[in-house]
Every structure is written in structure tokens, then in C-alpha cells.
Amino acid sequence: MPGLRPLLHYKPAWLRGDILAGVTVAAYLIPQCMAYGELAGVGPVAGLWAILPPMVVYGLLGSSPQLSVGPESTTAVMTAAAVAPLAAAGGSYSAIAALLAILVGLVCLVGYVARLGFLANLLSKPILIGYMAGVALIMIASQLGKISGIDIEADSVLGQVGEFLQKTDQMHWPTFLLAALVLTFLLVVQRRFPTAPGPLLAVLLATLAVAVLRLDQQGVAVVGPIPAGLPQFALPQFAGLDLLPLLGSAVGIAVVGYSDNVLTARAFAARNQYKIDANQELLALGAANFSNGLMQGFPISSSGSRTVIGDSLGSKTQLFSGVAMGVVILVLLFLRPVLALFPGAALGGIVIFAALKLIDVVEFQRLQRFRRTELGLALITTVGVLMTDLLVGVAIAVSLSVIDLFARVARPHDAVLGTVPGLPGLHDIDDWPETSTIPGLVLYRYDAPLCFANVENFKRRAWLAIEAETIPVAWFVLDTEAIPEIDITALDTLEEFSRELRTSSITFAMARVKQDLYAQLKRSGLLNQIGSEHIFLTLHTAIEGFAAQAQPPQLK
């Protein structure tokens, strides 16, 4: 098991960092996961229960020695969106959430068997930035009732905000003031003491305020009695449930949860110079969710914030997760009376604090500076998540990523190459005003693989490059550096293009042809049409071939 390998070669120097990281992460995740349990709709104690199985399973199967797994904001919101309609139609909310975790686990395990780890790349950076911002706004809107004491019945973001503004006269001011103080405290602690367990300190102070000032007797809602013991094995009941929409939700949660899992793991692997296995992460996440469902939990993924804290305190192996799990078990067994006094307003403040960190304003600004179309994708995704069901937002995000990819493939950059005085090599004539082409020769580069989606675009732009030359073109050389292979549609169009060139008395040649492409040309018969003597290993040998043919024959 990958998680055991570092433990088998454990260095004593790592122990202090792992223990310190584990205790601190536990202090951070206890109030945080209680809040996420509430956010998911299963209750605070279920948020704590959902920590335990994933920590054990991921510690054994995960390929990252530093990743912290368990309840987190995105999957909690998606769980609530998926489970609430089915629970309203009849059935136990917690049982449906547990069944959803099992289905998410099965989706990930199927992905592992099919080696679908690459699917995480369907969510590009702009899409993820926009998606996370949309999720954050949904999280904030969902907590408005909890932090204000107002009974909000709306389900949509706009509905919740509108209802909140309409009912401000019903505000329970002790509740709102407590939530505002918690949120302010968390923001200050994050800025001044980034490694401190801010959520734990905030909730403990809020709990102390409830106990001393008797705020629970003044209408401030608290967690209330917590069941004794630890979660028990239970098979979720699904009789009478429509599993099809639940399975669709599971696929969406699996895609988003796995993407977040892999991106976080990769970031820390790059920072600390080790490698992760993307497909192994599918297995670990799938098994963690499956086991969580069997132990009355709900869907989980990785937590970037908890992983950051562990890394900053020196975590080296998954032993830190074992330490954190031990602290959580001790709290569940011996500190339930303290947890029972946790105010709901404080948990709402923690959720809003976590949501604010998901809105990455700096990244939005970076997208604007880099390319406005990337910013547009992020904003469209945010709006799509807010204006539709959250799981529909996942589909929108994936679709936009695929559309963006196809748009780049269908209309890639191209270049006519020439020489620049005093500069070695061949260069795009649009990049250098003093570039000159070789008379009678067009060296043309198309910066994408040729396929059904772009071959007509290639053909049109290739003819435009030929027509732009002032001197009649004798040779057209296609630089295939970015064309490792072609499909049958591209092959037929390329054959047609070759015939049209020959009709116009232009020789068609290819340079930098890779072996796979060469084999395809040979199998199709196009190589015979072009002529193997017109296939060159480099651009400079292509130029030499053109020059040799252009020279008049020597008289004997």
C-alpha cells in the first residue's frame, strides 16, 4: 500500500513535525468539519464522524504523504443540493447522504479500474476558479439564516439573499452579533497568525460566551446533545429511492472532488519535490468515500486549508492524519458536553470564512491580465453555478472546458517561417518585421494536431499563406512539429490539398515528420502521392531540397 511505504522507512526527525501538524490540524478540523456537517445537512456530529474512515483509508491507499482528506466545503454543498430534494420526497436524509457517499466511491473506483485519472484535466484553471467562486457564494447565502436567526425558506442564492433582505426586521441581534464577531476574529487571526487554529479558538470563545452569558436562553441556537460513542457500521437503505438522479449527482461530486484532490496533491508534491499517482488517487478517494458511506458519513474530498496547515508545521507522512484522528476520537469520547454548547452562529461564521477563501480575487485579476477570454470563462462558470442547480453547474464547467479546448484545437496559431538578419533559426514572419521568406518557398507551421475539427481551417489558412507571397510559389513545406498524427478526415483533406497544389504546379513537402505520422502516410497511400523524397527530417534539409531542385541543371 502506498501510504505504508514512508512509514516503513520512517525517519525519527520527522516525528516532531508529524505530531505537531496532527494536533494542530485536529484543532482546526473539529469545528470546521462540524460546520461542514451542518452545511451538508447531516448535522455537526456527522461532520466529525465523517473524518474518521477517510483518514484511515487514505492513509493506507493515498499517494500523497501530506494530503488531508475529510469533509470539505464543495462536496458538502453538493451533497446538500443532491440529497435535499430526495429527502423532501421521503426518506432519511442521513441515509441518503451515506448512500451518495457509497455511489461517489463506486464512481471513483470504476474510474480507477478504467484508468480515467486524466479526466481531472477537463476542469481547466479558469473553470475551477469560477466554479469555486460560485460555490463560495452559495455557501455564504446558505448561512444567512443561521447567522441572523431568520427563518429563510428559499433554495436559490438570489431567493435566499432576497428573503434575508426582506426579513431584516426579524433579525435576532445576539445571534448576528456573535456570528459577526466570530467572522471578524477569524479574519484577524488568519492575517496575523496564519498557522494558529483560528476556527477552534473562535468556537471555544463563542462557546464560553454562550455558557457565561447564557446566550442559549436568549435564543442563540446551539448544537445540542451529541450521541455517545463513535459511528457504527450500517448499510444505507435505498428501497423506494430513485437512484438515477442520485447516481448523476455522484458522478458530478466525484469529478469535482477528484479534481480538487489531485490539484491539491500535485501542488504540494511540486513544492516538496515528490510525486503522486493520479490514478492511485482515484482508488484512495473512492475507497475513502465508500467506507465513509458504510459508517454513516457523506461524500468527502481533500482540504487544501488543512493540508497547508500540516505542511507549514512540518508534516512528512500520513502519520499526521493518524494523530489528528486520535485527537478527534478523544474529543468525541470525552468532550461531548463542550461540543453540545457550540453555537450554530459560530459554525455559520466558520463556513462563511471558508467560503471567502474560495473566492480568489488575485486569480481573477491574473486571468484578466493574461487573457480576457480566460476571465470570461471563469465569470460564465460562476454565473452558471449561481443561476442553475449546483450539479448542473458542474456539467456547465466541464462543457465549457471541453468547448474551450476544441476552440483552441479548431483555430490554433499558425505561422509562415522566414529568416531574421543576425538571428539563428527560422521565425514567424509576424513576430519580426525584418523577417524575409525564401522566394518561391513557403515554410508553413500549423500549431495543432490535424483532425476533423480543424483540417478545413488548416487548408484555408495554408492557401492564404500561399496567396500572400508576391513571388510565385514553387514549394509548400508543411512543418509537422505539432502534428504527431492525423485522423481519416484530416488525411482525406490533406490528400485533396496535395492534389490542388499539384494542379497549381506547387510541390507539396513535409518536414519534421514523426514516425507515427510517417506510418499513417504510408498506410494511406498519401506518401506515394507526396513522394518519399519530399519528406524531410528538418526544415533546413527541406530548404536544401528546394534549393537543389530550383538550381538549373549544369551543362556538360
Side-chain angles (χ1 to χ4, degrees):
M1 295 183 180
L4 292 179
R5 290 173 195 154
L7 299 179
L8 294 176
H9 303 88
Y10 198 84
K11 297 179 180 179
W14 296 348
L15 186 60
R16 181 181 180 275
D18 280 340
I19 292 177
L20 184 60
V23 172
T24 307
V25 166
Y28 189 87
L29 65 81
I30 288 171
Q32 187 187 58
C33 291
M34 289 179 71
Y36 292 159
E38 190 78 7
L39 181 64
V42 294
V45 70
L48 291 180
W49 286 350
I51 295 170
L52 305 179
M55 281 187 166
V56 175
V57 173
Y58 186 86
L60 294 174
L61 298 177
S63 65
S64 171
Q66 293 186 290
L67 199 66
S68 177
V69 298
E72 55 84 38
S73 55
T74 310
T75 51
V77 175
M78 296 178 76
T79 296
V83 174
L86 296 175
S92 167
Y93 195 107
S94 58
I96 298 173
L99 178 59
L100 180 61
I102 290 175
L103 292 176
V104 170
L106 289 174
V107 169
C108 291
L109 293 174
V110 169
Y112 166 75
V113 172
R115 303 192 67 80
L116 298 179
F118 69 91
L119 289 178
N121 298 325
L122 288 179
L123 293 175
S124 63
K125 187 68 175 289
I127 301 300
L128 281 172
I129 293 170
Y131 178 78
M132 290 301 182
V135 168
L137 294 174
I138 290 174
M139 289 170 62
I140 292 171
S142 71
Q143 299 303 300
L144 291 177
K146 188 176 297 181
I147 66 171
S148 63
I150 299 173
D151 183 19
I152 295 179
E153 299 177 357
D155 295 326
S156 67
V157 172
L158 294 179
Q160 289 167 338
V161 173
E163 191 172 346
F164 172 77
L165 294 175
Q166 291 172 4
K167 295 181 176 179
T168 51
D169 58 324
Q170 302 176 21
M171 183 88 69
H172 186 257
W173 289 105
T175 297
F176 183 76
L177 182 60
L178 182 62
L181 288 173
V182 166
L183 182 57
T184 303
F185 176 82
L186 289 170
L187 293 172
V188 171
V189 168
Q190 181 194 32
R191 186 175 183 84
R192 293 292 188 88
F193 312 101
T195 60
L200 178 67
L201 296 174
V203 171
L204 289 178
L205 290 173
T207 303
L208 182 62
V210 170
V212 173
L213 302 177
R214 301 183 182 277
L215 295 178
D216 54 330
Q217 297 178 15
Q218 299 179 36
V220 175
V222 296
V223 170
I226 291 177
L230 300 174
Q232 302 295 316
F233 176 85
L235 286 174
Q237 300 298 315
F238 54 87
L241 278 179
D242 186 358
L243 292 180
L244 192 59
L246 201 62
L247 180 59
S249 300
V251 171
I253 293 173
V255 169
V256 173
Y258 174 67
S259 298
D260 186 41
N261 196 87
V262 168
L263 289 171
T264 304
R266 282 176 178 168
F268 284 90
R271 178 184 300 180
N272 296 305
Q273 299 180 341
Y274 58 83
K275 294 182 179 179
I276 67 155
D277 184 335
N279 213 55
Q280 183 69 25
E281 289 300 300
L282 266 176
L283 173 63
L285 185 63
N289 272 286
F290 189 87
S291 62
N292 217 21
L294 295 177
M295 299 295 287
Q296 307 173 54
F298 58 94
I300 54 91
S301 181
S302 64
S303 168
S305 60
R306 299 197 295 267
T307 306
V308 167
I309 290 172
D311 178 64
S312 66
L313 292 168
S315 65
K316 298 295 182 184
T317 71
Q318 281 296 325
L319 178 63
F320 93 94
S321 290
V323 173
M325 183 182 69
V327 174
V328 172
I329 291 174
L330 290 175
V331 169
L332 281 169
L333 292 177
F334 302 109
L335 296 179
R336 292 195 317 280
V338 177
L339 297 181
L341 287 176
F342 275 15
L347 296 179
I350 292 174
V351 171
I352 292 175
F353 171 69
L356 291 175
K357 292 195 293 184
L358 292 179
I359 303 175
D360 201 332
V361 177
V362 174
E363 283 297 309
F364 275 104
Q365 294 172 339
R366 179 168 167 252
L367 291 177
Q368 182 181 22
R369 290 193 302 269
F370 177 71
R371 186 183 289 130
R372 290 196 174 186
T373 55
E374 303 270 14
L375 175 64
L377 281 173
L379 293 175
I380 290 171
T381 303
T382 301
V383 173
V385 169
L386 293 177
M387 295 293 104
T388 65
D389 177 83
L390 189 61
L391 296 167
V392 174
V394 177
I396 291 173
V398 173
S399 300
L400 286 175
S401 292
V402 174
I403 291 170
D404 181 48
L405 173 63
F406 268 103
R408 294 180 190 280
V409 171
R411 296 188 299 274
H413 177 267
D414 68 340
V416 174
L417 304 177
T419 58
V420 180
L423 191 64
L426 296 162
H427 305 277
D428 187 345
I429 63 174
D430 292 333
D431 294 340
W432 302 87
E434 63 273 30
T435 306
S436 59
T437 58
I438 299 171
L441 171 65
V442 171
L443 295 170
Y444 181 76
R445 189 184 72 220
Y446 196 71
D447 293 335
L450 282 179
C451 62
F452 69 94
N454 62 18
V455 68
E456 288 296 335
N457 175 268
F458 156 77
K459 182 180 172 183
R460 179 179 61 81
R461 288 161 74 176
W463 274 113
L464 289 175
I466 293 170
E467 293 166 1
E469 292 292 310
T470 55
I471 296 175
V473 174
W475 271 42
F476 178 91
V477 177
L478 174 61
D479 178 1
T480 64
E481 179 186 19
I483 309 175
E485 60 179 8
I486 57 178
D487 64 13
I488 191 67
T489 306
L491 185 70
D492 290 345
T493 306
L494 204 59
E495 186 175 359
E496 179 184 310
F497 178 63
S498 175
R499 286 198 304 269
E500 292 174 357
L501 288 176
R502 193 164 54 250
T503 302
S504 300
S505 301
I506 298 174
T507 298
F508 180 41
M510 302 174 84
R512 299 208 271 190
V513 178
K514 295 177 175 62
Q515 286 297 324
D516 289 344
L517 177 59
Y518 187 86
Q520 287 182 313
L521 296 175
K522 188 174 182 179
R523 287 196 302 269
S524 68
L526 182 56
L527 182 62
N528 293 331
Q529 183 175 320
I530 298 173
S532 58
E533 70 276 10
H534 293 139
I535 303 295
F536 299 95
L537 294 177
T538 67
L539 288 172
H540 286 94
T541 54
I543 294 172
E544 290 171 2
F546 165 72
Q549 190 181 68
Q551 289 177 356
Q554 299 294 322
L555 296 176
K556 294 184 179 179

